[in-house]
Amino acid sequence: MTADPARVSILRYSPALVLFAIVIADARQHSDPDLWGHVLFGRQLLAHGGLPRDNPYSYSAPGFPWLHHEWLSEVLMGALFDKFGAAGLKLLKFACSAGTICFIAAAESATIAPALVQLSILLVAALLLMPVMQFRPQLFDFLFLSATIALLARIRRRGLGMLWVAIPLTAIWSNLHGGFFIGLVAIGVYGLATMLEDLWSGRGFWRGLGILAIAAAATASTLITFLIPPARDTWFTLINSILNPMTHYTIGDWIPLIPSLINAPSGSVEQKYFVLVLLFFAAAFVCVVLTPRGGDLAMVAVAAVMMAAAFMAVRNVPMAVIAASPVFANHLALLIRSREAASPSASSARPMPRAGQLVVEVLIAVAAIFFARSFGVLSPGIDASDYPAGAVDFMKTHGLKGNVLADYAWGQYVIWHAAPDSKVFIDSRYDLGYPPAVVADYMKLESGGAGGAHTLAAYRHDFVLVKNGSPAAGLMNLQNGWRLIYSDEIAELYARAGSGAARIGGVPVSGARYHADFP
């Protein structure tokens, strides 16, 4: 009978490579469409202790109930921006990226996988997390889920001793973002799988029941949201987002994985990303099938549920990557051991001298720093070059104010720079701040179809701000009642024909694209 192999902590084995994985995960340094709103709303919460119940930034749905579900994230973002500017937001993002990678590493270290297997999977996981590590409250979902997975990975060897931490963890998480629900699912699935496995093997059901009791207590801890005024919409918002059918075909990250791959432009980065995700899932699946006795059935069950969720909506891909990484590492190690056992003549590599290890670690750390500088991780600014800075500056220069039908992704940018003098038709709060009719009317304009003319006629728009070359811009160019007054590589700004804005001398003005940072 062979002894159980010693576990290897890659946090101690190669901290430099873990740092490199952190930098990879944090490499995306572009503003998210929601960032302006998160900071603005956080400032309002700090100043007034709450947010309005209606939608004061919109002229299309001013009386529609505004649902809030991430108040604590926004308070943190608002406070950090006020204290440190954009650098504070970058530090928050880096901390969440670092925590997520370190918890994945900790979960992998609870498996039998050797260091090189763990590090290889960690680096691939970091690459898959990079596109979704944005300046959004979802950062806390990745951080807290990875912490939960790390706690679950410890159970087989160390028992339930530390799992109680999930209870206060979930209570905090439920105030940060509605994604806390996925953590409850992970604990519940782990507990149920453990109970069934133990019953099958004759060990009784008490261990699984203990885990399910902790899951129930963690669920109960989320009731704290009903006691905090800004958080009272949390559960309603979560249920509304899941059940709203429009969400699943209008919002990109709610679309299922396979349709997202099929509809991605051929050869695009997006298409390559989805292919890499599927390869990661497929490789993990094959390793589990080829080595079914890995002693981690409950972890496999959690990973399977998370993968199923990823196929249902691409926003769940990072959750699946986090849950699958320790399972992949464990079963890949088993597969490698079985191949080595079948080839006893294979010789083991000699360990590197300590001095050589130190030199390699230093070189990797230098490479990580160089990578971080190249991708802007170490710069103080957050790139916002894809937003209509030129068009909004044009409006400010000429004193243009009013109702702005802006691109969905630009709504909060306009709110930040033009409110309260100007209001928007829609912004990326989507169904949390707008009724289905407004969302549907916006989609008609965005598609450039005949229904877009109805959207233009049905509301009191003063300006239309759309992406240059978009179907909506093509539709606007066909409207006799509207005139182009400003354009650059990013945006086109239209005003009603005959309005004061349409009579500004020299319009349409052609602007030049320039680099812009948040805000």
Side-chain angles (χ1 to χ4, degrees):
M1 183 175 180
T2 59
D4 192 35
R7 267 62 173 177
V8 179
S9 170
I10 53 176
L11 292 168
R12 292 194 294 268
Y13 179 86
S14 182
L17 269 174
V18 174
L19 173 63
F20 208 135
I22 292 169
V23 171
I24 291 173
D26 194 50
R28 192 179 192 278
Q29 297 291 316
H30 298 283
S31 296
D32 180 83
D34 294 333
L35 181 56
W36 287 267
H38 291 318
V39 175
L40 176 62
F41 306 151
R43 286 169 140 186
Q44 290 182 342
L45 282 161
L46 289 167
H48 307 294
L51 293 169
R53 292 302 304 169
D54 56 4
N55 191 349
Y57 302 106
S58 168
Y59 64 92
S60 63
F64 191 76
W66 175 12
L67 299 178
H68 314 131
H69 72 295
E70 47 202 11
W71 74 275
L72 187 54
S73 294
E74 292 177 339
V75 164
L76 288 171
M77 296 171 83
L80 286 170
F81 182 78
D82 282 344
K83 187 70 174 178
F84 304 107
L89 299 174
K90 296 189 70 159
L91 285 172
L92 175 64
K93 180 174 178 290
F94 183 84
C96 289
S97 299
T100 300
I101 293 299
C102 288
F103 282 128
I104 294 174
E108 289 186 355
S109 297
T111 71
I112 66 166
L116 291 180
V117 169
Q118 293 184 47
L119 287 168
S120 299
I121 292 175
L122 185 69
L123 290 169
V124 175
L127 185 63
L128 294 175
L129 290 173
M130 178 177 66
V132 298
M133 284 291 185
Q134 303 179 36
F135 293 92
R136 305 175 68 183
Q138 280 88 338
L139 287 170
F140 295 105
D141 291 343
F142 311 144
L143 175 65
F144 281 65
L145 177 64
S146 60
T148 302
I149 294 298
L151 288 171
L152 295 175
R154 293 164 51 97
I155 290 177
R156 183 170 179 82
R157 295 184 66 228
R158 303 188 183 185
L160 305 183
M162 289 297 294
L163 190 58
W164 66 266
V165 175
I167 300 172
L169 199 73
T170 304
I172 298 170
W173 189 358
S174 65
N175 287 277
L176 289 163
H177 189 259
F180 70 90
F181 180 74
I182 204 73
L184 299 175
V185 170
I187 301 172
V189 169
Y190 190 98
L192 183 60
T194 298
M195 180 183 290
L196 294 175
E197 182 183 22
D198 286 354
L199 284 172
W200 180 263
S201 60
R203 293 195 296 262
F205 58 82
W206 292 108
R207 189 169 63 127
L209 191 63
I211 297 170
L212 290 175
I214 291 175
T219 303
S221 75
T222 68
L223 297 177
I224 192 175
T225 58
F226 292 100
L227 303 177
I228 302 172
R232 287 174 183 166
D233 294 335
T234 298
W235 271 101
F236 180 77
T237 302
L238 172 65
I239 295 170
N240 179 72
S241 296
I242 293 173
L243 297 182
N244 184 355
M246 185 177 287
T247 300
H248 298 275
Y249 64 84
T250 58
I251 304 300
D253 60 2
W254 282 91
I255 297 174
L257 178 56
I258 298 302
S260 296
L261 170 63
I262 294 172
N263 295 327
S266 179
S268 65
V269 173
E270 183 182 11
Q271 184 189 60
K272 293 173 183 176
Y273 173 76
F274 291 134
V275 169
L276 183 59
V277 167
L278 288 173
L279 289 174
F280 182 85
F281 290 171
F285 175 79
V286 169
C287 286
V288 171
V289 170
L290 294 178
T291 56
R293 299 182 181 275
D296 59 348
L297 177 62
M299 290 295 291
V300 171
V302 173
V305 169
M306 297 299 168
M307 283 189 186
F311 277 94
M312 293 172 64
V314 294
R315 68 183 289 117
N316 297 320
V317 164
M319 311 300 187
V321 170
I322 291 168
S325 291
V327 173
F328 192 179
N330 191 48
H331 288 265
L332 179 57
L334 288 170
L335 189 61
I336 292 172
R337 285 175 59 191
S338 67
R339 296 296 182 270
E340 290 176 346
S343 304
S345 61
S347 59
S348 300
R350 295 178 59 185
M352 183 182 297
R354 186 168 181 81
Q357 290 179 354
L358 182 59
V359 170
V360 171
E361 286 289 290
V362 171
L363 291 175
I364 294 172
V366 170
I369 294 171
F370 178 79
F371 185 89
R373 290 190 62 184
S374 300
F375 280 82
V377 175
L378 301 180
S379 65
I382 302 172
D383 182 31
S385 297
D386 293 334
Y387 292 84
V392 172
D393 285 348
F394 176 84
M395 291 183 67
K396 289 181 177 179
T397 300
H398 293 88
L400 303 180
K401 306 171 184 178
N403 296 335
V404 184
L405 197 174
D407 185 272
Y408 173 90
W410 294 346
Q412 292 187 14
Y413 181 93
V414 175
I415 289 171
W416 176 282
H417 289 279
D421 295 323
S422 295
K423 296 180 183 293
V424 298
F425 181 78
I426 197 170
D427 66 83
S428 49
R429 284 173 294 167
Y430 181 58
D431 59 341
L432 304 185
Y434 297 90
V438 169
V439 176
D441 283 342
Y442 171 76
M443 297 298 294
K444 293 173 184 175
L445 179 80
E446 184 185 52
S447 67
H454 160 77
T455 304
L456 293 172
Y459 301 86
R460 298 182 61 183
H461 316 292
D462 296 307
F463 303 96
V464 176
L465 179 61
V466 294
K467 293 178 180 177
N468 192 327
S470 66
L475 175 68
M476 292 303 301
N477 290 327
L478 300 176
Q479 305 302 309
N480 294 328
W482 292 86
R483 184 179 180 186
L484 178 68
I485 60 173
Y486 175 89
S487 68
D488 56 29
E489 293 181 19
I490 300 295
E492 294 187 350
L493 177 65
Y494 298 82
R496 289 189 180 274
S499 66
R503 293 194 296 268
I504 294 174
V507 298
V509 172
S510 295
R513 179 177 182 175
Y514 57 88
H515 179 79
D517 284 338
F518 178 87

